[in-house]
Amino acid sequence: GAGVSQSPSNKVTEKGKDVELRCDPISGHTALYWYRQSLGQGLEFLIYFQGNSAPDKSGLPSDRFSAERTGGSVSTLTIQRTQQEDSAVYLCASSIGGRDGYTFGSGTRLTVV
Amino acid sequence: SQQGEEDPQALSIQEGENATMNCSYKTSINNLQWYRQNSGRGLVHLILIRSNEREKHSGRLRVTLDTSKKSSSLLITASRAADTASYFCATVPTGGFKTIFGAGTRLFVKA
């Protein structure tokens, strides 16, 4: 597609449930990032994929968080046993090489009640 | 801690005035980027300046980079109400890929 697509745009879930967030990057972009942004705050790095290399998972806040990228394209971020502190906007971005400007999706606003 | 830290946290100006935002970082970088965010959703890439560049222009935007001070500034000239947004700097470390964002500057331009 023309841009980075994220789904769903909004997700309300009950505490303790698992959620899956999807990111469809721009075709041909080898680098894909996930960030998390709490209300009024900056972006918190979560995970980075670059081509076929092992992902940089150093930003994942706990083992309840995991992400995969299938076929070097679509990525899913999974949060297990969601907690209220997981409520945030989850942003995905992709770029051609990983060091140049990134194109962001519109994000998924996750609310854990 | 965040690699990039913006200053000020918030800025309110009149339409037509210039707005200057600053960013400081801690480690050596490959490049520094500025982004704009409206309504707390997706960010829009504004400009990228590489570590061997000192100044870059794009329309009403002017970015400077001082690697000796590990700082950058974003100047928006002749601001408009539509420039109201949050502005973030992001740094790509030398030899790495993990791009780190600062907490942002919230700019409000009054018509």
Side-chain angles (χ1 to χ4, degrees):
Chain A
V4 177
S5 177
Q6 289 188 248
S7 61
S9 56
N10 289 284
K11 176 73 175 178
V12 180
T13 190
E14 291 181 352
K15 179 180 170 181
K17 300 279 190 185
D18 297 352
V19 294
E20 268 194 6
L21 312 180
R22 176 187 168 106
C23 173
D24 198 344
I26 292 174
S27 178
H29 280 195
T30 60
L32 187 149
Y33 286 82
W34 283 97
Y35 291 90
R36 177 169 74 173
Q37 186 178 32
S38 300
L39 187 63
Q41 301 299 310
L43 275 69
E44 176 188 3
F45 168 81
L46 297 178
I47 188 168
Y48 165 68
F49 295 91
Q50 173 62 52
N52 296 321
S53 302
D56 180 342
K57 304 179 182 180
S58 59
L60 295 179
S62 76
D63 59 8
R64 296 186 295 104
F65 288 72
S66 63
E68 62 177 23
R69 188 178 184 190
T70 53
S73 181
V74 172
S75 177
T76 54
L77 175 69
T78 301
I79 309 173
Q80 296 178 309
R81 304 181 302 282
T82 52
Q83 303 294 312
Q84 287 186 328
E85 60 263 28
D86 299 334
S87 296
V89 175
Y90 289 81
L91 293 162
C92 175
S94 71
S95 75
I96 291 175
R99 291 201 177 103
D100 296 324
Y102 308 103
T103 302
F104 277 81
S106 296
T108 293
R109 185 179 300 279
L110 176 66
T111 304
V112 182
V113 297
Chain B
S1 63
Q2 292 286 350
Q3 164 77 318
E5 297 291 342
E6 287 91 343
D7 165 56
Q9 291 186 339
L11 181 61
S12 182
I13 59 174
Q14 289 292 137
E15 205 169 30
E17 293 180 340
N18 296 340
T20 299
M21 290 160 268
N22 303 297
C23 170
S24 60
Y25 57 93
K26 296 187 174 76
T27 63
S28 64
I29 60 170
N30 176 284
N31 68 64
L32 185 146
Q33 302 167 32
W34 284 92
Y35 289 80
R36 185 178 81 184
Q37 184 181 40
N38 293 86
S39 307
R41 286 301 189 120
L43 281 72
V44 175
H45 179 255
L46 295 176
I47 196 164
L48 180 154
I49 185 165
R50 303 195 185 280
S51 61
N52 61 352
E53 297 176 309
R54 292 296 167 258
E55 188 170 311
K56 210 161 181 183
H57 297 254
S58 176
R60 293 184 296 112
L61 305 181
R62 173 178 166 250
V63 169
T64 62
L65 178 65
D66 186 335
T67 53
S68 66
K69 295 181 180 177
K70 291 187 168 59
S71 68
S72 173
S73 67
L74 171 67
L75 169 68
I76 303 175
T77 60
S79 63
R80 305 166 182 168
D83 294 330
T84 294
S86 291
Y87 292 82
F88 295 88
C89 72
T91 52
V92 179
T94 301
F97 292 92
K98 190 163 80 177
T99 304
I100 302 296
F101 285 77
T105 292
R106 286 151 194 79
L107 173 67
F108 181 64
V109 181
K110 293 177 280 187

